[in-house]
Amino acid sequence: MFANNGLLYTDDLINYTECNFGEGYEDFVAHDLLEIDGQLYILASKEQKNGKFKTCVFVTEDLE
């Protein structure tokens, strides 16, 4: 899994699947990843209508 202005998952470094953050978070863009003790932390943000950014940290153990 890697972040490159999006969140991509691959098992073989040839075929990639774009991941999403779920309902309500469709327009969030992943910027960075960090794995600690089997937990994956994903830093993501979304530009709001007023021009400010909303930033969230998503946490998961399930990479799929």
Side-chain angles (χ1 to χ4, degrees), residues 21 25 28-29 31 42-46 54-58:
F21 297 109
Y25 299 98
F28 276 75
V29 176
H31 299 289
I42 305 163
L43 177 67
S45 66
K46 173 184 177 180
K54 180 176 183 178
T55 301
C56 294
V57 176
F58 297 89

Side-chain angles (χ1 to χ4, degrees), residues 6-56:
L7 190 61
L8 302 168
Y9 176 80
T10 181
D11 283 325
D12 57 14
L13 298 177
I14 296 172
N15 301 300
Y16 299 93
T17 302
E18 187 170 359
C19 304
N20 64 58
F21 297 109
E23 189 175 327
Y25 299 98
E26 292 86 357
D27 296 328
F28 276 75
V29 176
H31 299 289
D32 203 1
L33 305 170
L34 175 66
E35 186 270 328
I36 300 173
D37 296 329
Q39 297 252 18
L40 182 64
Y41 297 84
I42 305 163
L43 177 67
S45 66
K46 173 184 177 180
E47 187 172 9
Q48 305 294 297
K49 292 180 181 178
N50 62 7
K52 295 182 179 182
F53 285 84
K54 180 176 183 178
T55 301
C56 294

